[in-house]
Amino acid sequence: AQSVTQLDSQVPVFEEAPVELRCNYSSSVSVYLFWYVQYPNQGLQLLLKYLSGSTLVKGINGFEAEFNKSQTSFHLRKPSVHISDTAEYFCAVSDSTGIRTALIFGKGTTLSVSS
Amino acid sequence: DTEVTQTPKHLVMGMTNKKSLKCEQHMGHRAMYWYKQKAKKPPELMFVYSYEKLSINESVPSRFSPECPNSSLLNLHLHALQPEDSALYLCASSQDSTAGRSGNTIYFGEGSWLTVV
């Protein structure tokens, strides 16, 4: 069975500071990994995804994530955050064995950016 | 263009009402999903349709009834709901319901906010 653990439930940070949102996964098979963002009162938007190949993945809005197989991690980073990055961030995994795609989500990390 | 459209955006219904949530995508995706999300929680999978057939039902109560009239449309019929069913209902779609070579990204709509009174 697969699972996702987001290590921080809340991350407060000042504007223009760097941020890292941590995500660890557990799986006995190869996986695909995703980060989604949910702005207040909105649906989920895909930030970036790791399918294969380069372990450093670049996404939208200046975010990037690094897949680390030995650490079973997929941490999300941004070098300089904006107030508008305040949102809920979900790490998710899907089964790459071809059985089903449905995502397994972590519990989410609330990023709060203040001036 | 990755877009999943959901209507209505907000719905208030009584416990004896019958209502429906609607979802549409024109990306040629053959898998469509319903997720339920409570406040401050991650989305929880309810149903998966693959090629217009129900492939996964995550033990959802029968007061929720999904329907997939064609490959672009997905409905969620609601009847005799309880106040605890109040939540954000998210529709999503992907190329198909197996991960496959593409990674099969799931794209979400903006959601329908449901309040049961």
Side-chain angles (χ1 to χ4, degrees):
Chain A
Q2 298 154 352
S3 65
V4 175
T5 303
Q6 291 184 242
L7 299 167
D8 307 291
S9 60
Q10 296 190 38
V11 174
V13 65
F14 288 109
E15 195 173 20
E16 298 183 8
V19 71
E20 178 180 80
L21 307 184
R22 297 181 294 167
C23 173
N24 285 359
Y25 70 93
S26 173
S27 177
S28 58
V29 299
S30 295
V31 296
Y32 299 128
L33 293 158
F34 305 82
W35 276 99
Y36 285 85
V37 60
Q38 187 172 32
Y39 298 104
N41 300 317
Q42 294 189 23
L44 273 71
Q45 181 180 2
L46 180 67
L47 268 180
L48 48 79
K49 58 187 177 184
Y50 172 78
L51 306 179
S52 64
S54 173
T55 57
L56 183 62
V57 180
K58 293 189 183 298
I60 62 172
N61 301 340
F63 284 93
E64 64 181 31
E66 185 155 18
F67 171 64
N68 187 321
K69 189 174 182 179
S70 62
Q71 302 284 329
T72 61
S73 67
F74 190 55
H75 300 333
L76 181 71
R77 301 186 182 99
K78 186 170 183 178
S80 176
V81 295
H82 302 290
I83 298 284
S84 58
D85 292 322
T86 295
E88 191 77 13
Y89 291 79
F90 292 100
C91 182
V93 61
S94 73
D95 176 4
S96 69
T97 62
I99 304 301
R100 52 183 274 177
T101 303
L103 295 167
I104 298 170
F105 286 93
K107 292 188 175 182
T109 297
T110 303
L111 176 63
S112 300
V113 182
S114 57
S115 56
Chain B
D1 184 19
T2 55
E3 187 171 302
V4 177
T5 304
Q6 291 187 241
T7 56
K9 292 196 183 305
H10 297 273
L11 177 62
V12 179
M13 60 184 291
M15 290 188 284
T16 59
N17 291 160
K18 284 185 181 181
K19 297 286 184 182
S20 298
L21 304 180
K22 298 184 183 301
C23 176
E24 188 170 7
Q25 57 87 14
H26 293 289
M27 295 178 279
H29 289 172
R30 303 311 300 270
M32 296 187 76
Y33 309 77
W34 280 114
Y35 282 82
K36 174 183 177 180
Q37 186 181 25
K38 302 284 276 184
K40 303 294 184 183
K41 299 288 187 183
E44 298 175 354
L45 182 66
M46 299 175 72
F47 302 104
V48 180
Y49 271 83
S50 178
Y51 292 85
E52 297 142 58
K53 293 184 179 178
L54 183 64
S55 62
I56 295 174
N57 177 339
E58 295 284 3
S59 303
V60 179
S62 59
R63 58 185 184 269
F64 295 91
S65 175
E67 178 197 19
C68 190
N70 60 53
S71 60
S72 300
L73 295 174
L74 184 66
N75 299 321
L76 185 63
H77 302 298
L78 314 170
H79 174 56
L81 295 192
Q82 304 296 311
E84 59 265 28
D85 296 321
S86 298
L88 177 66
Y89 288 84
L90 294 162
C91 176
S93 71
S94 62
Q95 282 187 325
D96 62 48
S97 64
T98 59
R101 293 183 297 276
S102 70
N104 222 351
T105 303
I106 294 178
Y107 296 95
F108 287 83
E110 291 289 308
S112 292
W113 290 93
L114 174 66
T115 303
V116 182
V117 297

